[in-house]
Amino acid sequence: LDDLLSYNEMEDGDMFKANDRVYFAHKKKVGSSQFHTVDKGQSMWSIAQKYGMKLHRLYEKNRMKMNDQPVYGEVLYLQSKRTDF
């Protein structure tokens, strides 16, 4: 159970929801696509899960602070660091 929570960047007491992706091994440093456009209701965690990348790397690549949440329609970088700041 500890490994499963760690692989999915969850804490004790967190619960998976229907249709959440679950990883049984470590996620990667980059996403499987170059960019992602944020849909309604998506969180940084759900986006990281969708692309199989580590959550802190998603924040780093987009020059965001941990716990910041994306805005609907925002384009997030998944493979390279955002340069338009």
Side-chain angles (χ1 to χ4, degrees):
L1 181 59
D2 289 339
D3 286 342
L4 183 66
L5 291 174
S6 174
Y7 297 151
N8 291 281
E9 300 173 278
M10 300 175 76
E11 296 180 7
D12 195 24
D14 288 344
M15 307 242 340
F16 290 105
K17 295 182 221 110
N19 299 320
D20 278 347
R21 290 188 183 200
V22 178
Y23 291 90
F24 295 95
H26 293 286
K27 295 189 285 181
K28 299 178 181 181
K29 295 179 183 179
V30 297
S32 57
S33 294
Q34 255 188 287
F35 304 104
H36 172 78
T37 302
V38 179
D39 290 327
K40 289 182 183 176
Q42 285 187 315
S43 66
M44 292 294 276
W45 181 84
S46 68
I47 295 165
Q49 289 294 104
K50 178 177 180 169
Y51 292 99
M53 70 183 295
K54 296 181 182 209
L55 181 59
H56 76 275
R57 297 289 186 181
L58 181 59
Y59 277 103
E60 286 175 2
K61 291 192 182 315
N62 290 281
R63 300 179 187 266
M64 295 172 71
K65 295 178 183 173
M66 288 299 287
N67 298 322
D68 283 353
Q69 291 303 316
V71 177
Y72 171 72
E74 181 177 9
V75 175
L76 297 177
Y77 286 58
L78 305 177
Q79 295 182 352
S80 61
K81 199 168 217 177
R82 181 180 288 277
T83 58
D84 60 350
F85 272 80

